[in-house]
Amino acid sequence: MNKDFLKYQAQTSPYPLGMEVSHASGSYIYDTSGNAHLDFVAGVSACTLGHCHPDVVAAIKNQVEKYMHVMVYGEYAQSPATIYTKLLADNLPKPLEVTYLVNSGTEAIEGALKLARRFTGRSEIIAAKSAYHGNTMGSLSLMDFEERKSVFRPLLPDIYHIRFNNEKDLEKITHKTACVILETIQGGAGFILPTNDYLKKVKARCTAMGALLILDEIQPGFGRTGKLFAFEHYNCIPDILVIGKGMASGLPVGAFTASKEIMDTLSENPKMGHITTFGGNPVIAASSLATLNALLNSTIITDTLKKETLFKSLLKHPKIKEIRGKGLMLALIMDSPETANELVLRAKEKNLILFWLLFENRAVRVSPPLTISEKEIKDGCAIILALLNTM
Ligand SMILES: Cc1ncc(COP(=O)(O)O)c(C=O)c1O
């Protein structure tokens, strides 16, 4: 299979990991040779409830037998999306009430940027250095990593950068600013937490200037940090919340949520300010609903904090200099980029799945399914420690 995968499927890099997948269940992915790989990555924070969670599979099967795609987004009332957006509103602080469902994280970011420009009538967008918000033209424009974007220029104009957690830079937010967009916890940069009431201060400055605050929770959302959404840790409610990844526990999805007053502007002058064929797809909405119900009706979310403590107590080694992040969004900061790289590759040979971060080359990602068991955590950490002892 790998030969055809490399030949016919467009590649993202010259060195894909290339596991030949047979099936997946719980915290394991099985390859076509019958090996079980313990998954410490969860499809990069996407498989919230692990692989093929029975509730999710049942919801999908049930919906597939009723109807799949029937109309473009926004025309027909379809129960999975309607029930889902209401349940989301019930579990979000006011005024976050109305959700626009789309197909991926990056499309949700595009929608949120358009909404902020439309609502404020301003064009300037402020993003953080070392942020990652996706790879379509608008999201890519937000990135300050010239090496990754220069060949795609010209990109969106009127975008400026501030340093995450730097209060002095908040002066750059002015009456010209349409929105400030931040990851609640910076992912690709190395799982950097906001400190010192930073998000609250950004929100206050935005409010004073008439700018909107967009928080990108595509990675930390849906329980990964011990709360349904990470912003709940930081006493700051965004004007627009962007979600995706773990939302449907393994199906492609994204969404952005705002107050009715803000969101309504996207449907008038011009009407159809954002449109999509498959957004709100009933099968994906059913999967999102099953995921959210499982999170709300269990201790999965609060358990992530106990699991964080377990990881941190087990992963003590001179080559691990620091463990960053929160809940089950953890990054092991190694003593060098070489150690990080070698650990990911050698763990693969031991059937433990680890991964890199986009911009922090000393980091090794640990973002397992939230349903991972204590035994699985201990097994995986034992592999990591044994490998580090030989390196
Ligand atoms: C914080 C953040 N924003 C946006 C995205 C883009 O989401 P997607 O890959 O679904 O387009 C990602 C994906 O890794 C992300 O981590």
Side-chain angles (χ1 to χ4, degrees):
M1 185 158 60
N2 245 328
K3 211 166 133 236
D4 284 352
F5 163 66
L6 292 171
K7 184 166 177 193
Y8 295 109
Q9 209 176 313
Q11 298 294 310
T12 56
S13 82
Y15 310 108
L17 287 172
M19 186 205 300
E20 295 195 357
V21 177
S22 160
H23 59 285
S25 173
S27 302
Y28 288 91
I29 302 177
Y30 297 84
D31 67 28
T32 49
S33 308
N35 301 306
H37 300 257
L38 178 55
D39 189 358
F40 268 19
V41 176
V44 184
S45 302
C47 305
T48 305
L49 301 178
H51 299 282
C52 298
H53 188 282
D55 291 2
V56 173
V57 172
I60 292 169
K61 281 186 175 165
N62 181 42
Q63 186 55 42
V64 162
E65 283 171 5
K66 283 192 198 152
Y67 62 93
M68 291 188 272
H69 181 72
V70 287
M71 194 24 140
V72 294
Y73 180 82
E75 295 295 333
Y76 293 172
Q78 302 173 43
S79 63
T82 309
I83 296 170
Y84 182 69
T85 48
K86 179 173 186 305
L87 185 63
L88 206 51
D90 290 344
N91 285 281
L92 281 169
K94 295 268 168 294
L96 296 172
E97 190 180 24
V98 184
T99 297
Y100 197 124
L101 299 165
V102 294
N103 307 283
S104 66
T106 196
E107 187 193 347
I109 295 289
E110 302 285 340
L113 297 179
K114 285 166 72 182
L115 179 59
R117 280 191 167 175
R118 171 68 188 85
F119 180 76
T120 60
R122 305 173 184 177
S123 67
E124 181 182 280
I125 295 170
I126 294 185
K129 290 178 184 284
S130 303
Y132 180 74
H133 296 288
N135 241 251
T136 49
M137 286 295 190
S139 308
L140 183 64
S141 306
L142 299 172
M143 200 157 78
D144 77 325
F145 193 4
E146 209 40 46
E147 198 183 306
R148 293 267 174 98
K149 60 189 242 191
S150 60
V151 294
F152 301 110
R153 286 190 183 283
L155 294 167
L156 274 193
D158 227 2
I159 293 186
Y160 304 90
H161 292 99
I162 55 176
R163 289 165 291 179
F164 194 76
N165 275 335
N166 184 299
E167 285 177 38
K168 177 104 189 46
D169 281 7
L170 300 186
E171 287 166 14
K172 292 190 183 173
I173 306 167
T174 68
H175 287 108
K176 287 200 292 190
T177 311
C179 63
V180 175
I181 178 163
L182 298 173
E183 293 164 89
T184 308
I185 295 175
Q186 284 208 307
F191 292 8
I192 313 287
L193 305 179
T195 51
N196 235 339
D197 275 338
Y198 175 67
L199 294 179
K200 226 173 128 183
K201 289 170 186 163
V202 179
K203 176 71 193 280
R205 176 77 182 180
C206 283
T207 306
M209 295 295 139
L212 299 184
L213 173 64
I214 303 175
L215 284 185
D216 176 346
E217 290 252 356
I218 288 169
Q219 188 157 190
F222 295 97
R224 188 155 285 282
T225 70
K227 300 262 188 199
L228 186 57
F229 297 104
F231 71 78
E232 296 170 51
H233 292 290
Y234 302 110
N235 232 338
C236 163
I237 301 171
D239 297 292
I240 306 176
L241 173 69
V242 188
I243 51 183
K245 273 198 192 278
M247 180 173 163
S249 213
L251 290 188
V253 72
F256 53 106
T257 303
S259 67
K260 183 165 166 47
E261 184 200 0
I262 294 176
M263 193 64 89
D264 274 355
T265 58
L266 216 48
S267 55
E268 61 197 28
N269 296 325
K271 65 179 182 179
M272 298 194 282
H274 189 74
I275 52 174
T276 158
T277 299
F278 286 118
N281 177 275
V283 180
I284 293 172
S287 170
S288 304
L289 183 58
T291 304
L292 186 54
N293 273 322
L295 291 174
L296 295 175
N297 300 320
S298 71
T299 57
I300 293 173
I301 296 181
T302 46
D303 288 350
T304 60
L305 295 174
K306 291 183 203 144
K307 292 173 184 176
E308 171 190 349
T309 307
L310 181 60
F311 268 112
K312 286 186 170 164
S313 68
L314 293 170
L315 288 175
K316 292 206 160 89
H317 193 280
K319 287 188 181 296
I320 303 174
K321 293 296 167 200
E322 188 187 345
I323 301 182
R324 286 201 204 130
K326 205 172 185 64
L328 290 177
M329 183 177 170
L330 298 174
L332 315 183
I333 308 299
M334 311 306 297
D335 59 358
S336 70
E338 291 72 27
T339 308
N341 196 39
E342 195 180 337
L343 179 60
V344 174
L345 295 175
R346 288 187 54 193
K348 182 187 162 206
E349 291 160 17
K350 299 283 178 199
N351 298 341
L352 173 69
I353 302 172
L354 297 172
F355 209 54
W356 303 272
L357 291 192
L358 268 178
F359 306 132
E360 171 54 89
N361 59 13
R362 288 173 309 146
V364 173
R365 162 190 287 276
V366 175
S367 59
L370 305 192
T371 47
I372 193 165
S373 71
E374 203 176 300
K375 179 177 179 312
E376 289 161 347
I377 293 175
K378 286 180 179 164
D379 289 351
C381 289
I383 295 173
I384 293 175
L385 294 175
L387 283 172
L388 289 178
N389 283 338
T390 66
M391 282 164 55

